[in-house]
Amino acid sequence: MALLQINNMRKSFADLEVIKDITLKVNKGEVVAIIGPSGSGKSTLLRCATLLERMDSGELIYLDKKAAYTDDSGKAVYAPQEILKQVRGYFGLVFQSFNLFPHFSVIKNVTDALVIVQKKSKEEAYSIGRELLAKMGLSDKENAYPYQLSGGQQQRVSIARALALNPHILFFDEPTSALDPELTGEILKVIRDLAAEHMTMVIVTHEMNFARDVADRVIFMDDGVIVEEGTADQVINHPKQERTKAFLNRFNN
């Protein structure tokens, strides 16, 4: 079952075409890693998929609900706000820079959307929040503030916050790039644990070993297009395209 379907997506910034006719789908329970050089369009693809950027044309479908489509003029038309609000509830997004509210405690960061968006009682929200913090190994930090946490702890809070709304699909945009190397492992472990629970995830990452270990499918992007895709073993260990080989060779050297 496809949770996400992107058809013929295009996106330009002024005269620079960043996404060039990309089509892909993500199935329930699948972990998809997106790799590629800086400037290849990976993060823009993620931002368009999560409605943070408007694509120029193409089709964006979540669980058979059409968020955007191309009209007769060739331009993207977005669904009414009530549909987009439903669609936003289907996914969670974890940024590379944590994006926590500095004036909120950890538990309030995790539960605020449950109360404000999903209208849950504070008691129910805090019960959900505490369960997720325990899962992240942060039960003792619920009353702390972001400035009191390490980068790895802040990122685990942001993952708990994304999971709190019980999304169908979770997006990660370079979840370890803002972390010191010694803190990267704890975030990768959390994502591995989620993969073991069959959480559907799309992960933009520069961690090749991690992508090889955790992803069901790897997509290599360059210059706004999908150059190669397949299993992690196929793309990372046995790439067919010369551009993929060149990227991985440079990465490994």
Side-chain angles (χ1 to χ4, degrees):
M1 173 189 175
L3 296 187
L4 168 64
Q5 179 77 44
I6 294 171
N7 296 317
N8 308 114
M9 178 186 283
R10 292 182 179 273
K11 174 65 180 177
S12 297
F13 295 102
D15 294 330
L16 178 64
E17 191 174 24
V18 180
I19 300 294
K20 304 173 182 177
D21 197 24
I22 280 184
T23 293
L24 67 90
K25 71 176 180 178
V26 179
N27 294 315
K28 183 177 175 62
E30 187 177 30
V31 179
V32 177
I34 303 176
I35 63 172
S38 297
S40 59
K42 306 184 302 294
S43 290
T44 300
L45 174 64
L46 219 63
R47 290 179 65 82
C48 287
T50 56
L51 304 173
L52 293 174
E53 294 280 0
R54 290 181 68 92
M55 60 185 183
D56 298 330
S57 63
E59 198 172 41
L60 182 62
I61 305 167
Y62 279 93
L63 281 77
D64 297 324
K65 199 172 290 289
K66 196 171 288 190
Y69 63 93
T70 303
D71 67 7
D72 292 338
S73 71
K75 299 294 184 184
V77 175
Y78 279 76
Q81 281 303 317
E82 59 266 24
I83 299 294
L84 294 182
K85 183 178 179 182
Q86 286 182 328
V87 167
R88 287 188 177 95
Y90 293 155
F91 61 79
L93 176 59
V94 178
F95 299 91
Q96 55 182 291
S97 54
F98 321 140
N99 283 27
L100 299 175
F101 294 110
H103 56 294
F104 283 3
S105 66
V106 164
I107 191 71
K108 188 167 172 58
N109 263 289
V110 173
T111 60
D112 195 53
L114 287 171
V115 176
I116 302 300
V117 177
Q118 294 192 350
K119 309 300 183 187
K120 294 186 185 298
S121 69
K122 184 177 178 181
E123 291 73 21
E124 184 182 2
Y126 271 50
S127 176
I128 293 169
R130 287 181 176 126
E131 185 177 330
L132 286 167
L133 289 176
K135 187 174 184 176
M136 297 294 142
L138 295 170
S139 292
D140 60 334
K141 300 295 184 184
E142 73 168 72
N143 294 316
Y145 286 81
Y147 77 90
Q148 297 172 309
L149 305 178
S150 70
Q153 290 170 332
Q154 290 186 61
Q155 190 63 295
R156 279 184 278 157
V157 173
S158 69
I159 294 171
R161 179 179 61 184
L163 288 170
L165 295 174
N166 198 26
H168 292 277
I169 183 170
L170 198 54
F171 292 92
F172 292 85
D173 187 7
E174 298 278 15
T176 61
S177 66
L179 300 178
D180 294 332
E182 63 267 25
L183 298 176
T184 295
E186 64 188 66
I187 300 307
L188 299 184
K189 181 184 182 303
V190 168
I191 298 173
R192 280 193 182 95
D193 290 346
L194 291 173
E197 296 171 8
H198 305 292
M199 180 74 201
T200 309
M201 293 183 281
V202 176
I203 308 165
V204 169
T205 183
H206 61 280
E207 300 280 350
M208 294 302 121
N209 289 334
F210 169 69
R212 180 168 44 216
D213 291 346
V214 79
D216 299 300
R217 184 156 48 101
V218 171
I219 291 172
F220 172 66
M221 283 184 63
D222 189 35
D223 195 28
V225 300
I226 294 175
V227 176
E228 189 165 354
E229 68 176 300
T231 66
D233 181 61
Q234 287 169 340
V235 175
I236 297 178
N237 293 336
H238 305 98
K240 292 184 173 65
Q241 302 299 321
E242 290 302 320
R243 182 66 190 93
T244 316
K245 293 176 184 177
F247 170 74
L248 291 169
N249 285 338
R250 189 172 73 245
F251 202 93
N252 292 328
N253 290 336

